[in-house]
Amino acid sequence: MEKDVFKKARKSTLTDLEAAVAVTPPPEDFVSGIMGIQLHEIRELGVMKDNMAIQHSGKGSSTKPEGEQEIESDKGLPSSYCTVMVNDEPVYRTRTKPMTATPFFNASTERFVRDWKATHVCVVVRDSRMRENDPVMGMVMFKLSDLFKDGSMATGSWSLQHGIGFGRIHLSFVFRPVQLTMPPSLIGFDTGTVQVKSININLYDKSLQGDVEVRLSTTGGYTKIKKGINEKEESSEDEGSNPDSLVHLPIQTRYHSALVINARNKGLFKRGTIAMGIVWLRDLVDNHHDGVIRAKLWKTDDFDHIKQNYAKPEESAVGNNAEAIGEVEMKVVFKPGIADAHEKDMKEDPKKQKSWEEYTIMKRKGLRRNIGRDGAVADEADISPNALANKVEEPSQMKHEATNSSGSLNENVKQWTSQQDNLSAEHRGIKQFKGVRTAEWMADGLKNAMMGLGHRKDRKETMEKEA
């Protein structure tokens, strides 16, 4: 049977090695490697307007008279470009192909992938427009564990979905493993959310127990200090039963960031950090719910030195004159990928606004339920509204909701807001008018310019652009 599969693959490849790659999945022992992706072309690219397929000049149906050749370039056609995202990070952008329904890109890029079983790739096609924000024409999303199920190479055409346009994009993928074995904590996502499920403080000097509060923050380029958390005992209830009780800290630079536990004096006139504990996020495993982390609280004269030097939680603090005055026990989970907690930071960063828009589209279309290696079972808070709406409601539940008029008002407002967002994303409703879209583009440009005046200096952009 294996010989027949090889012979079939050999007919469409140039060498025996290429045929072997096409029918051999990546090894289970070496999950890290180089992923290559080539964007060939898009066929029959067009824009949907009023539920009609606009493929030529934007004036009429996509159906053409018999014998008429397909128009490949015209003034009304989209000027498309592609962006490749790996694990929610934009890594590559092609050049813009102006006004054509059959853009040929023939562009390729390679990226190191830490774990091909957990990695997902999203190819987004946008339309470059004058005096408008570039709308999403469509996207395709892949889990490498599904793509390389039967071989280390895949080529095919996929339909563009979840945008204002349509078409079929032709792509090729290949994965070359490297002989490298890393611990599970080092093969995770760089972007994610730290969820603090419980925290328990134990101070050696019991007289300070009631005078100290804890505040959590993160080091790194993007995350701001979040609200403080008072001391809490571990709850015996199910941790996922009340997602609102969790603390969500968004992270975009996970492998050089740390979770900082600040023990501070309570009161109006005695504020100040008296001790600090550090948990480096490189020690966490993605979607690992069973781990309990213990970190010591260190009292020192140089807290910056502690935050800038790596040490395991069970080790002594780096530097001299550090005294342990207590211990913190926490249940912490790192959830891979962009989440709702990233909204504020990403909307304030002009370089991340498109990534946030793409995330909202994927979440609305139910594409965010299988993120990471163990992401098949998602938290209820992470499931998209569309996915929840697909569940069949029991008649008794429907009857109860009908009688609860006060609660249904808020639900109706949320439903109306969600419906308007869906229409706007598809350039329907009020967004169907170009003047509205131009006004939004001007407002966004002015807001970004104002934020840029006082914006902190971020790390250099890592997205590669086609030369």
Side-chain angles (χ1 to χ4, degrees):
M1 182 64 181
E2 294 180 357
K3 292 183 178 180
D4 295 338
V5 174
F6 177 81
K7 290 179 179 179
K8 184 178 179 180
R10 183 65 180 87
K11 293 179 181 179
S12 58
T13 55
L14 298 176
T15 64
D16 291 343
L17 178 61
E18 189 175 347
V21 171
V23 299
T24 306
E28 298 285 340
D29 297 335
F30 302 108
V31 297
S32 302
I34 307 297
M35 183 202 66
I37 177 173
Q38 184 169 5
L39 301 93
H40 299 286
E41 60 175 335
I42 303 177
R43 303 294 298 181
E44 301 178 354
L45 182 63
V47 179
M48 300 295 294
K49 184 177 181 181
D50 297 332
N51 295 324
M52 300 292 289
I54 309 303
Q55 199 173 19
H56 303 313
S57 62
K59 304 175 182 178
S61 173
S62 63
T63 58
K64 54 181 181 293
E66 185 178 355
E68 180 183 343
Q69 279 191 338
E70 180 181 347
I71 300 176
E72 294 189 354
S73 61
D74 200 355
K75 291 183 178 180
L77 292 173
S79 298
S80 60
Y81 63 90
C82 298
T83 302
V84 179
M85 300 183 69
V86 178
N87 291 344
D88 293 340
E89 295 183 29
V91 298
Y92 185 74
R93 172 179 166 169
T94 67
R95 288 181 291 178
T96 302
K97 304 298 179 179
M99 292 179 292
T100 176
T102 56
F104 286 84
F105 297 101
N106 284 330
S108 60
T109 184
E110 291 183 340
R111 281 296 181 273
F112 176 76
V113 172
R114 298 188 183 102
D115 183 4
W116 68 270
K117 293 182 179 181
T119 300
H120 68 270
V121 178
C122 185
V123 180
V124 182
V125 181
R126 288 182 177 268
D127 183 11
S128 179
R129 296 187 176 182
M130 294 290 293
R131 299 181 179 87
E132 285 187 41
N133 294 326
D134 297 344
V136 175
M137 296 284 293
M139 62 176 63
V140 286
M141 187 173 178
F142 307 92
K143 284 280 293 185
L144 295 192
S145 57
D146 298 331
L147 196 64
F148 297 136
K149 184 177 181 180
D150 299 322
S152 299
M153 184 171 61
T155 301
S157 296
W158 291 270
S159 297
L160 295 176
Q161 298 178 344
H162 315 311
I164 66 169
F166 62 95
R168 294 188 64 83
I169 185 170
H170 188 58
L171 304 169
S172 294
F173 298 86
V174 65
F175 181 79
R176 299 191 296 274
V178 297
Q179 193 171 354
L180 173 65
T181 302
M182 293 190 293
S185 61
L186 296 183
I187 59 175
F189 283 36
D190 209 27
T191 300
T193 306
V194 177
Q195 294 183 354
V196 182
K197 296 193 170 186
S198 67
I199 180 169
N200 188 22
I201 312 164
N202 180 25
L203 295 176
Y204 300 151
D205 187 357
K206 301 302 180 181
S207 62
L208 298 175
Q209 194 79 19
D211 299 330
V212 174
E213 65 178 3
V214 170
R215 291 183 180 269
L216 300 181
S217 62
T218 58
T219 60
Y222 299 97
T223 313
K224 297 180 180 179
I225 293 178
K226 299 299 178 180
K227 63 180 181 180
I229 304 179
N230 292 326
E231 178 184 357
K232 296 187 294 185
E233 295 293 337
E234 237 180 85
S235 176
S236 60
E237 299 179 356
D238 184 15
E239 294 170 356
S241 61
N242 187 12
D244 295 334
S245 65
L246 308 180
V247 176
H248 301 264
L249 300 175
I251 300 295
Q252 296 187 39
T253 54
R254 179 251 191 99
Y255 283 102
H256 71 256
S257 299
L259 178 62
V260 182
I261 305 105
N262 290 292
R264 299 165 57 91
N265 284 318
K266 288 183 179 179
L268 185 62
F269 301 103
K270 296 182 179 181
R271 290 193 175 274
T273 301
I274 60 173
M276 181 178 293
I278 298 289
V279 176
W280 287 90
L281 302 183
R282 67 179 296 279
D283 296 327
L284 302 181
V285 180
D286 292 6
N287 286 325
H288 187 62
H289 294 263
D290 299 329
V292 177
I293 297 177
R294 295 175 177 85
K296 290 186 177 181
L297 293 174
W298 298 97
K299 183 178 181 180
T300 180
D301 296 331
D302 190 0
F303 291 114
D304 291 335
H305 188 75
I306 297 179
K307 291 191 292 184
Q308 295 171 2
N309 292 273
Y310 171 76
K312 293 183 179 180
E314 64 272 12
E315 294 179 351
S316 300
V318 179
N320 299 323
N321 300 324
E323 177 189 358
I325 67 168
E327 189 177 65
V328 177
E329 184 178 285
M330 299 183 296
K331 281 192 174 182
V332 181
V333 179
F334 184 84
K335 300 290 290 184
I338 298 175
D340 292 344
H342 291 82
E343 180 176 5
K344 183 178 180 180
D345 289 339
M346 297 188 75
K347 281 187 174 181
E348 291 180 354
D349 189 350
K351 297 178 182 179
K352 299 291 184 179
Q353 289 172 356
K354 289 184 178 179
S355 297
W356 175 255
E357 178 188 3
E358 292 154 6
Y359 161 76
T360 56
I361 293 175
M362 287 187 285
K363 181 180 178 182
R364 187 165 55 244
K365 299 302 181 179
L367 302 179
R368 303 294 302 182
R369 299 188 62 183
N370 191 16
I371 301 300
R373 178 188 281 260
D374 300 323
V377 181
D379 289 342
E380 195 74 10
D382 298 332
I383 298 178
S384 64
N386 287 350
L388 291 175
N390 292 332
K391 295 183 179 180
V392 179
E393 295 183 352
E394 297 292 336
S396 59
Q397 293 178 348
M398 297 176 64
K399 182 178 179 180
H400 176 72
E401 290 177 359
T403 58
N404 191 358
S405 58
S406 60
S408 62
L409 178 61
N410 293 332
E411 295 297 329
N412 290 337
V413 172
K414 292 181 180 179
Q415 185 178 2
W416 180 84
T417 304
S418 177
Q419 183 180 7
Q420 294 303 312
D421 292 339
N422 293 339
L423 293 175
S424 298
E426 298 173 359
H427 281 192
R428 297 166 60 192
I430 193 173
K431 284 288 190 70
Q432 65 182 307
F433 302 107
K434 180 175 175 59
V436 175
R437 300 196 299 268
T438 301
E440 183 186 38
W441 168 78
M442 295 175 63
D444 290 343
L446 180 61
K447 182 176 66 174
N448 292 339
M450 295 296 294
M451 289 190 302
L453 296 177
H455 201 273
R456 56 187 178 275
K457 186 178 180 181
D458 296 328
R459 62 174 182 172
K460 186 178 180 181
E461 187 176 6
T462 58
M463 183 172 66
E464 176 188 0
K465 297 183 179 180
E466 185 182 4

